[in-house]
Amino acid sequence: AESGRLASYAWLRQWHIDDPVDDAERLRNAQICTDYQGNRNPYVDYPELVAAVFDDEAEAQIRADACNDDPPAADDFDGSGADRVGAGDVLIAGARFDNPDDLVIVFLKTFPNGIALTITDNGWLESGNWRDNEGTLSLSLPSVAAGQTVTLADMDSVSGSFALSASGDQIFVVDNGEAVAGLHTGGGWSDATDSSTSALPPGLEDASITFEETPDAYCYDGLRSGTQKELRDALTDASQWTECSALDASPFFVSDAAGGLNG
């Protein structure tokens, strides 16, 4: 879609005509109602409502006027007033440790006032401080929906050199100096004596994952639809991860999160 917009109304309206509701869509609508949201999509049950609601002349004018107002640029968000992110509210869902580096982070909660996080490959010292000889990135978003994912392309460099190592490394997501998610390859948590080791920061017992192996890339390969707890448990279970050639940044469905990407 152009200019960061999901799609134009005309395109969606034509899609509604070209791809009418079928039995599979009706079944999915029923399952979402009974298993997750407790409500149905009326446009699946009654497709004729699309014309009744959206083809109204007054509605069309309101929609046209709204689309003429450009949304605020994401670059205008400076992190002021951002929501605080807690341990396990965000988790790492994939990482590439060999060039080109990349990672996938998923949010399990909605943050309507935005987030202002840092991501670092600095290790955590058992003495209670960060090593400072590696790199730090910033991630600032004006709003976040539960289930939304971000990658390295969404982040900006702050300091040092964020460069992941295929011989063992760590990644931490940090909010106001406190780690809220972590991942480590090449063994368990230990004191940060070099660039490939790290102790486990406080509070990350249920928001981190470690791997003995040191693959070029590791991908989460478990369920992508469930409650916050179900997804958190799966994302921190090493058996749900696999070596991969390409990271999967597709969104998640967090069934018990308000304002999420509920499919």
Side-chain angles (χ1 to χ4, degrees):
E2 295 180 1
S3 303
R5 294 174 180 150
L6 293 177
S8 70
Y9 170 73
W11 186 90
L12 290 172
R13 186 70 176 85
Q14 189 60 47
W15 182 26
H16 177 73
I17 297 171
D18 294 343
D19 185 19
V21 174
D22 56 22
D23 289 341
E25 201 167 356
R26 293 187 185 92
L27 177 60
R28 179 174 179 269
N29 188 35
Q31 289 176 330
I32 288 175
C33 181
T34 57
D35 297 345
Y36 297 108
Q37 296 179 187
N39 65 299
R40 304 176 66 86
N41 182 342
Y43 299 110
V44 173
D45 290 333
Y46 306 101
E48 63 275 13
L49 283 178
V50 171
V53 173
F54 292 102
D55 289 352
D56 177 79
E57 185 174 339
E59 284 284 341
Q61 187 59 52
I62 292 172
R63 192 165 52 250
D65 292 342
C67 290
N68 287 331
D69 296 329
D70 291 330
D75 290 344
D76 292 342
F77 179 70
D78 63 2
S80 300
D83 292 321
R84 291 298 304 271
V85 178
D89 292 345
V90 57
L91 289 171
I92 299 169
R96 172 175 289 281
F97 297 89
D98 199 11
N99 290 330
D101 291 350
D102 202 359
L103 69 151
V104 177
I105 294 172
V106 59
F107 292 90
L108 300 184
K109 288 182 64 177
T110 294
F111 297 97
N113 298 312
I115 54 92
L117 304 175
T118 56
I119 292 83
T120 184
D121 57 347
N122 282 311
W124 179 259
L125 297 163
E126 289 182 347
S127 60
N129 296 297
W130 294 102
R131 290 183 88 233
D132 60 2
N133 60 325
E134 296 187 69
T136 300
L137 307 173
S138 68
L139 175 64
S140 295
L141 298 171
S143 64
V144 172
Q148 181 175 337
T149 61
V150 295
T151 67
L152 204 65
D154 300 300
M155 305 170 196
D156 297 310
S157 178
V158 173
S159 64
S161 175
F162 186 90
L164 301 177
S165 171
S167 60
D169 214 334
Q170 59 281 324
I171 305 169
F172 292 106
V173 182
V174 181
D175 184 1
N176 285 293
E178 297 182 3
V180 295
L183 177 149
H184 189 272
T185 63
W189 302 108
S190 61
D191 198 11
T193 57
D194 56 39
S195 62
S196 63
T197 56
S198 176
L200 179 65
L204 284 197
E205 291 79 6
D206 298 320
S208 61
I209 191 166
T210 61
F211 303 98
E212 292 294 328
E213 300 83 358
T214 56
D216 289 346
Y218 243 142
C219 293
Y220 170 71
D221 195 34
L223 60 88
R224 301 185 88 83
S225 174
T227 66
Q228 293 177 48
K229 185 180 186 309
E230 289 169 342
L231 290 169
R232 188 177 296 117
D233 289 346
L235 282 156
T236 54
D237 179 355
S239 70
Q240 302 297 305
W241 288 65
T242 184
E243 294 187 39
C244 56
S245 58
L247 303 188
D248 182 0
S250 59
F252 287 64
F253 169 37
V254 188
S255 60
D256 59 347
L261 304 178
N262 292 339

